[in-house]
Amino acid sequence: MMLVSEEPLFRLAMGRELASDFELVPTLGIASADRRMDLGVVPEAVIVDLDSVQRAAVPTFLARLVERELSGPRILVSSHFRPEVAAAYSASSLTHFALSRPWRPGSLRTLVESVMGLSGLRAMTAGR
């Protein structure tokens, strides 16, 4: 899972919530993420901080993910999303999902597990 953000505290917050169950590839923004993928890193999913100073480069970056044939989900996180709008957006897409920032503890993990198809698997495993 690639974390795309220039902000160290944001990467730390994402890492705290996800590191126990996912292999994380933190990057220092869009250019860093592109370089990592040029070197052969193929993430299962990408989480992009839309509140970055590189915000204008996000559409081009997302288009390059399609060109690279990355099939995993893209989770867009922004303080400009209202929670209900982010939830409606996430429910209407197969590849792009949104999360309002700041999020409630566990919300990022829940969203990632859901879009990666892990939430049902965890529920079945817990019932054993």
Short mmCIF file of all heavy atoms in Angstrom, two decimals, residues 4-7 10 48-55 58 76-81 99-102:
data_model
loop_
_atom_site.label_atom_id
_atom_site.label_comp_id
_atom_site.label_asym_id
_atom_site.label_seq_id
_atom_site.Cartn_x
_atom_site.Cartn_y
_atom_site.Cartn_z
N VAL A 4 0.94 8.40 -0.25
CA VAL A 4 1.47 9.53 -0.99
C VAL A 4 1.13 10.82 -0.27
O VAL A 4 -0.01 11.30 -0.32
CB VAL A 4 0.92 9.56 -2.44
CG1 VAL A 4 1.54 10.70 -3.23
CG2 VAL A 4 1.15 8.22 -3.14
N SER A 5 2.12 11.37 0.43
CA SER A 5 1.92 12.62 1.16
C SER A 5 3.27 13.24 1.48
O SER A 5 4.21 12.53 1.83
CB SER A 5 1.16 12.38 2.47
OG SER A 5 1.02 13.59 3.19
N GLU A 6 3.31 14.55 1.38
CA GLU A 6 4.53 15.28 1.74
C GLU A 6 4.61 15.49 3.24
O GLU A 6 5.66 15.79 3.78
CB GLU A 6 4.51 16.66 1.07
CG GLU A 6 4.40 16.60 -0.41
CD GLU A 6 3.78 17.87 -0.98
OE1 GLU A 6 3.19 18.66 -0.23
OE2 GLU A 6 3.88 18.03 -2.19
N GLU A 7 3.48 15.34 3.93
CA GLU A 7 3.38 15.69 5.35
C GLU A 7 3.75 14.50 6.25
O GLU A 7 3.02 13.50 6.29
CB GLU A 7 1.96 16.16 5.64
CG GLU A 7 1.81 16.73 7.00
CD GLU A 7 0.38 17.22 7.22
OE1 GLU A 7 -0.21 17.81 6.31
OE2 GLU A 7 -0.12 16.98 8.33
N PHE A 10 1.02 13.21 8.68
CA PHE A 10 -0.07 12.51 8.00
C PHE A 10 0.37 11.08 7.67
O PHE A 10 -0.38 10.13 7.90
CB PHE A 10 -0.45 13.27 6.73
CG PHE A 10 -1.62 12.67 6.00
CD1 PHE A 10 -2.86 12.59 6.59
CD2 PHE A 10 -1.47 12.21 4.71
CE1 PHE A 10 -3.94 12.05 5.91
CE2 PHE A 10 -2.53 11.67 4.03
CZ PHE A 10 -3.77 11.59 4.63
N VAL A 48 -3.76 8.80 -1.39
CA VAL A 48 -3.22 10.09 -1.83
C VAL A 48 -3.78 11.21 -0.96
O VAL A 48 -4.99 11.37 -0.83
CB VAL A 48 -3.57 10.37 -3.32
CG1 VAL A 48 -2.99 11.69 -3.77
CG2 VAL A 48 -3.09 9.23 -4.20
N ASP A 49 -2.87 12.01 -0.40
CA ASP A 49 -3.21 13.19 0.38
C ASP A 49 -3.49 14.34 -0.60
O ASP A 49 -2.59 14.83 -1.26
CB ASP A 49 -2.03 13.53 1.28
CG ASP A 49 -2.22 14.80 2.09
OD1 ASP A 49 -3.34 15.35 2.09
OD2 ASP A 49 -1.24 15.22 2.73
N LEU A 50 -4.75 14.72 -0.72
CA LEU A 50 -5.12 15.80 -1.64
C LEU A 50 -4.83 17.19 -1.09
O LEU A 50 -4.93 18.17 -1.80
CB LEU A 50 -6.61 15.70 -2.01
CG LEU A 50 -7.03 14.46 -2.79
CD1 LEU A 50 -8.51 14.54 -3.12
CD2 LEU A 50 -6.20 14.28 -4.04
N ASP A 51 -4.47 17.26 0.20
CA ASP A 51 -4.18 18.55 0.81
C ASP A 51 -2.71 18.93 0.64
O ASP A 51 -2.18 19.74 1.39
CB ASP A 51 -4.55 18.53 2.29
CG ASP A 51 -6.04 18.37 2.51
OD1 ASP A 51 -6.82 18.68 1.59
OD2 ASP A 51 -6.43 17.91 3.60
N SER A 52 -2.06 18.35 -0.33
CA SER A 52 -0.63 18.59 -0.53
C SER A 52 -0.40 19.83 -1.38
O SER A 52 -1.30 20.30 -2.09
CB SER A 52 0.01 17.36 -1.19
OG SER A 52 0.24 17.54 -2.53
N VAL A 53 0.82 20.33 -1.35
CA VAL A 53 1.16 21.48 -2.21
C VAL A 53 1.24 21.04 -3.66
O VAL A 53 1.18 21.87 -4.56
CB VAL A 53 2.48 22.16 -1.77
CG1 VAL A 53 2.32 22.78 -0.41
CG2 VAL A 53 3.63 21.20 -1.80
N GLN A 54 1.36 19.74 -3.89
CA GLN A 54 1.41 19.21 -5.25
C GLN A 54 0.02 18.85 -5.77
O GLN A 54 -0.12 18.12 -6.74
CB GLN A 54 2.30 17.96 -5.28
CG GLN A 54 3.72 18.21 -4.89
CD GLN A 54 4.51 16.91 -4.81
OE1 GLN A 54 3.96 15.82 -4.74
NE2 GLN A 54 5.82 17.04 -4.82
N ARG A 55 -1.01 19.39 -5.16
CA ARG A 55 -2.40 19.07 -5.49
C ARG A 55 -2.70 19.17 -6.99
O ARG A 55 -3.44 18.37 -7.53
CB ARG A 55 -3.30 19.97 -4.64
CG ARG A 55 -4.62 20.28 -5.10
CD ARG A 55 -5.40 21.21 -4.17
NE ARG A 55 -4.65 22.36 -3.66
CZ ARG A 55 -4.35 22.56 -2.38
NH1 ARG A 55 -4.74 21.73 -1.48
NH2 ARG A 55 -3.67 23.60 -2.01
N VAL A 58 -2.10 15.92 -8.99
CA VAL A 58 -2.85 14.70 -8.65
C VAL A 58 -3.57 14.10 -9.86
O VAL A 58 -3.47 12.89 -10.09
CB VAL A 58 -3.82 14.94 -7.47
CG1 VAL A 58 -4.77 13.76 -7.29
CG2 VAL A 58 -3.03 15.18 -6.20
N LEU A 76 -8.54 8.72 -1.80
CA LEU A 76 -8.23 10.13 -1.80
C LEU A 76 -8.66 10.71 -0.45
O LEU A 76 -9.81 10.56 -0.05
CB LEU A 76 -8.96 10.83 -2.95
CG LEU A 76 -8.82 10.15 -4.32
CD1 LEU A 76 -9.68 10.85 -5.35
CD2 LEU A 76 -7.37 10.09 -4.75
N VAL A 77 -7.73 11.36 0.23
CA VAL A 77 -7.99 11.89 1.57
C VAL A 77 -7.83 13.41 1.53
O VAL A 77 -6.84 13.92 1.02
CB VAL A 77 -7.01 11.28 2.60
CG1 VAL A 77 -7.30 11.80 4.00
CG2 VAL A 77 -7.05 9.77 2.57
N SER A 78 -8.83 14.11 2.08
CA SER A 78 -8.76 15.57 2.07
C SER A 78 -9.57 16.17 3.21
O SER A 78 -10.62 15.64 3.59
CB SER A 78 -9.31 16.12 0.75
OG SER A 78 -9.33 17.54 0.77
N SER A 79 -9.09 17.29 3.71
CA SER A 79 -9.83 18.03 4.73
C SER A 79 -11.00 18.80 4.11
O SER A 79 -11.85 19.32 4.83
CB SER A 79 -8.90 19.00 5.46
OG SER A 79 -8.36 19.93 4.56
N HIS A 80 -11.05 18.84 2.78
CA HIS A 80 -12.13 19.55 2.09
C HIS A 80 -13.35 18.67 1.85
O HIS A 80 -14.39 19.17 1.44
CB HIS A 80 -11.62 20.12 0.76
CG HIS A 80 -10.53 21.12 0.95
ND1 HIS A 80 -10.75 22.40 1.41
CD2 HIS A 80 -9.20 21.01 0.77
CE1 HIS A 80 -9.60 23.04 1.49
NE2 HIS A 80 -8.64 22.23 1.12
N PHE A 81 -13.21 17.36 2.09
CA PHE A 81 -14.36 16.46 1.95
C PHE A 81 -15.19 16.52 3.22
O PHE A 81 -14.66 16.43 4.32
CB PHE A 81 -13.92 15.00 1.78
CG PHE A 81 -13.23 14.67 0.50
CD1 PHE A 81 -12.24 13.70 0.48
CD2 PHE A 81 -13.54 15.29 -0.68
CE1 PHE A 81 -11.60 13.34 -0.68
CE2 PHE A 81 -12.90 14.97 -1.86
CZ PHE A 81 -11.93 13.99 -1.87
N LEU A 99 -12.00 9.80 1.75
CA LEU A 99 -12.04 9.83 3.20
C LEU A 99 -11.83 11.27 3.65
O LEU A 99 -10.91 11.94 3.18
CB LEU A 99 -10.96 8.93 3.80
CG LEU A 99 -10.93 8.81 5.33
CD1 LEU A 99 -12.20 8.12 5.84
CD2 LEU A 99 -9.70 8.03 5.77
N SER A 100 -12.69 11.71 4.53
CA SER A 100 -12.58 13.06 5.09
C SER A 100 -11.46 13.09 6.11
O SER A 100 -11.27 12.15 6.88
CB SER A 100 -13.91 13.43 5.74
OG SER A 100 -13.82 14.70 6.34
N ARG A 101 -10.73 14.17 6.12
CA ARG A 101 -9.62 14.34 7.05
C ARG A 101 -9.95 15.47 8.01
O ARG A 101 -10.38 16.52 7.53
CB ARG A 101 -8.37 14.66 6.23
CG ARG A 101 -7.14 14.89 7.02
CD ARG A 101 -5.98 15.15 6.08
NE ARG A 101 -4.83 15.56 6.85
CZ ARG A 101 -3.74 16.02 6.30
NH1 ARG A 101 -3.64 16.13 5.00
NH2 ARG A 101 -2.73 16.38 7.05
N PRO A 102 -9.79 15.36 9.28
CA PRO A 102 -9.30 14.18 10.02
C PRO A 102 -10.39 13.12 10.06
O PRO A 102 -11.57 13.41 10.00
CB PRO A 102 -9.00 14.71 11.41
CG PRO A 102 -9.92 15.88 11.58
CD PRO A 102 -10.10 16.46 10.20
#
